[in-house]
């Protein structure tokens, strides 16, 4: 079984069926990028409807046990996540309320600095702000996993320190392997490794680089090098794959409502739209080559199980509220 | 034990202690009048904090069994209610989300017509609108009690018809006993009685009248006459008592953000502020005279138990979601 630490886009029945064919038993879905509380409740409502309408292939999971059970039953466990903290609208009390509604993963900030933390794209990362520290503690208590994928390195290190539970970088790579603002320093990866945190290795070309996208063995070599930095218990998969994304979706993802101009996110002016997926990952179904690829670069069955799902399950068990 | 079908105001420790002295084991509190979704989530957050801080005297109840258990233990069971449907912000999917957060009673509209229904103060009551029918059905499914206290008679009759479960008029009186727009026609009360619904007799002077406020026996005579109209299984208590209300609270309650002018709600230009409580109900604690008053006007112990708490518990059991 594969657990994918982060995907986004407009899921539909076909997406769930592709994930089934890929051997993906659990996936953290992106319920929002910039949306405030009301729009985030809208999104939760739509996700509930979508999953209810596809109950034979998908089910919302709110505990590690449920992810494991649903995935092993052959369905896709949907874990509700947000790539930004805007859903809380500056309210400490909203953390518990959204947790009760099933939200299990929240990224402290997305591409821009917010009231919680600095972003990987800001010239200066402030470190974790006052409200950010409050929210991290509240997420610990409410049972939501802290995600720092788009968060700046300094704020990420602060979050690791502030959090009483291990945290995640659900979808990024090691910057020492591919130099990109969205990727993480070795310091961050080592701190993750020392505290029980997990990084989901991304398969998004913009932050992976053409070399590691060339073949499944190349990508698994990147995973192996990440394991050398963070340790075997702290590396997993977070493809950052999107479903049914079109130009307006990328515009919303990158520009939201914060600029009248253009922003390229992880991309660059030269190729502003969707980067082509890795050569080995043209279709969602192709993700089923990962276990074999990990074996080809030398991982044992036990290590493969940790990378493909075991590390995420352990982290979910350590952080998700129990109901 | 007394269950009060509706109170409002700024609750505090003293309010809970007064309710304990009054023998009130359960109360529907007003978490909002005009507030939208975000403000309503704020209110839920504050209510949770307040009850957590006073866990020795109060506890939030989300089932009929919990109301009964908490009340019998000597604490006050807090049932979360809203006097308006603005918390849903026009979203059918928000009904389930707020139900999961513990909301158990929602009035279809407050003093003004809204997208659900007509109000008792409008010149013309439209009857239940399209969205109102959707929300009633969704509340039935989600396990929230439909309240029509401030709703117009026509919309109330429509709601009784549209609802697959019995509904409530949590705080009003019989218009044939005291003529006021806020009170209900005998047709409404009989329809309530025939469908298992319940009216909570109010002890708010503006809609009760000076005669029935003169003594506890007088007020209980009004209750007895209401029983003659609606039946012994459909009459309970809903005092409409407020705690720590000041002029700005009355202004918000009556004018919200909907007018630059002045509105008097159930009051009149002559006495725009708070009407004096009934003579027998100067302090919250005084509510403990109700069982004796009911006995004095001829009710049996079994009938008194229905009016003071049994009818509400039966209705809660029939309408509240089970967790």
């Amino acid at each position: 079984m594969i657990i994918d630490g982060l995907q986004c886009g407009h899921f539909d029945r076909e997406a769930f069926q592709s994930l089934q064919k890929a051997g993906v038993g659990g996936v953290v879905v992106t319920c929002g990028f910039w949306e405030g509380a009301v729009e985030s409740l809208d999104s939760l409502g739509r996700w509930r409807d979508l999953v209810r309408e596809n109950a034979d292939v998908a089910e919302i999971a709110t505990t590690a046990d449920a992810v494991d059970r649903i995935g092993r039953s052959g369905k896709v466990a949907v874990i509700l996540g947000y790539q930004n903290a805007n859903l809380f609208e500056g309210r400490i009390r909203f953390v518990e309320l959204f947790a009760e509604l099933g939200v299990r993963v929240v990224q402290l900030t997305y591409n821009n600095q917010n009231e919680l933390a600095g972003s990987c794209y800001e010239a200066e990362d402030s470190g974790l702000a006052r409200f950010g520290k409050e929210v991290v503690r509240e997420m610990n208590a409410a049972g939501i996993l802290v995600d720092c994928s788009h968060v700046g390195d300094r704020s990420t290190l602060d979050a690791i320190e502030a959090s009483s539970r291990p945290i995640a970088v659900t979808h990024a790579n090691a910057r020492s392997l591919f130099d990109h603002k969205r990727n993480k320093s070795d310091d961050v990866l080592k701190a993750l490794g020392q505290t029980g945190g997990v990084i989901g290795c991304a398969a998004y070309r913009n932050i992976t680089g053409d070399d590691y996208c060339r073949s499944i063995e190349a990508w698994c070599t990147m995973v192996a090098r990440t394991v050398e930095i963070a340790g075997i218990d702290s590396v997993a998969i977070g493809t950052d794959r999107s479903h049914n994304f079109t130009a307006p979706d990328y515009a919303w993802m990158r520009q939201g409502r914060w600029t009248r101009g253009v922003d390229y996110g992880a991309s660059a002016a030269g190729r502003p739209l969707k980067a082509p997926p890795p050569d080995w990952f043209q279709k969602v179904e192709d993700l089923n080559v990962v276990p074999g690829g990990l074996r080809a670069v030398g991982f044992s069955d036990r290590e493969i199980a940790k990378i493909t799902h075991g590390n995420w399950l352990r982290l979910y068990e350590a952080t998700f509220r129990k109901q």
Side-chain angles (χ1 to χ4, degrees), chain A residues 183-206:
Chain A
N183 289 332
K184 297 298 177 195
S185 72
D186 284 7
D187 280 353
V188 165
L189 297 183
K190 284 173 185 166
L192 267 187
Q194 286 158 10
T195 54
V198 174
I199 180 169
C201 290
Y204 187 47
R205 186 178 290 265
N206 287 326

Side-chain angles (χ1 to χ4, degrees), chain A residues 5 23 55 235 246 274 293:
Chain A
V235 177
T246 57
K274 189 179 180 177

Side-chain angles (χ1 to χ4, degrees), chain A residues 111-112 121 250-251 253-255 258-259 261-266 272:
Chain A
N111 288 349
N112 289 7
Y121 291 122
Y250 284 97
M253 194 173 88
R254 290 166 179 165
Q255 280 125 234
W258 69 273
T259 174
V262 175
D263 187 71
Y264 296 108

Side-chain angles (χ1 to χ4, degrees), chain A residues 134-291:
Chain A
E134 293 273 348
V135 170
V136 165
R137 281 195 289 264
E138 192 78 2
M139 286 169 74
N140 291 157
I144 297 180
L145 172 59
V146 174
D147 183 9
C148 284
S149 302
H150 288 241
V151 174
D153 279 354
R154 185 175 165 191
S155 290
T156 302
L157 289 167
D158 284 355
I160 292 170
E161 170 123 9
S163 181
S164 65
R165 298 174 193 267
I167 77 160
V169 170
T170 61
H171 60 301
N173 290 316
R175 197 181 302 128
S176 61
L177 301 176
F178 183 73
D179 189 19
H180 192 289
K181 287 181 179 177
R182 265 278 278 107
N183 289 332
K184 297 298 177 195
S185 72
D186 284 7
D187 280 353
V188 165
L189 297 183
K190 284 173 185 166
L192 267 187
Q194 286 158 10
T195 54
V198 174
I199 180 169
C201 290
Y204 187 47
R205 186 178 290 265
N206 287 326
I207 64 171
T208 306
D210 291 339
D211 283 353
Y212 289 128
C213 284
R214 215 182 322 115
S215 66
I216 182 61
E217 290 76 15
W219 190 78
C220 288
T221 298
M222 182 194 74
V223 173
R225 289 176 179 165
T226 309
V227 168
E228 285 170 18
I229 303 165
I232 185 63
D233 294 316
S234 289
V235 177
I237 297 166
T239 62
D240 207 359
R241 182 82 184 200
S242 63
H243 300 268
N244 304 307
F245 247 34
T246 57
D249 298 308
Y250 284 97
W252 172 248
M253 194 173 88
R254 290 166 179 165
Q255 280 125 234
R257 287 174 283 225
W258 69 273
T259 174
R260 294 184 189 277
V262 175
D263 187 71
Y264 296 108
S267 191
R271 47 180 195 195
L273 282 179
K274 189 179 180 177
D279 300 344
W280 58 270
F281 191 23
Q282 293 296 301
K283 302 190 309 297
V284 171
E285 293 85 325
D286 296 338
L287 205 57
N288 65 11
V289 301
V290 167

Side-chain angles (χ1 to χ4, degrees), chain A residues 108-122:
Chain A
L108 298 185
T109 188
Y110 186 55
N111 288 349
N112 289 7
Q113 173 176 309
N114 67 4
E115 67 271 42
L116 285 77
S119 148
C120 64
Y121 291 122
E122 297 287 354

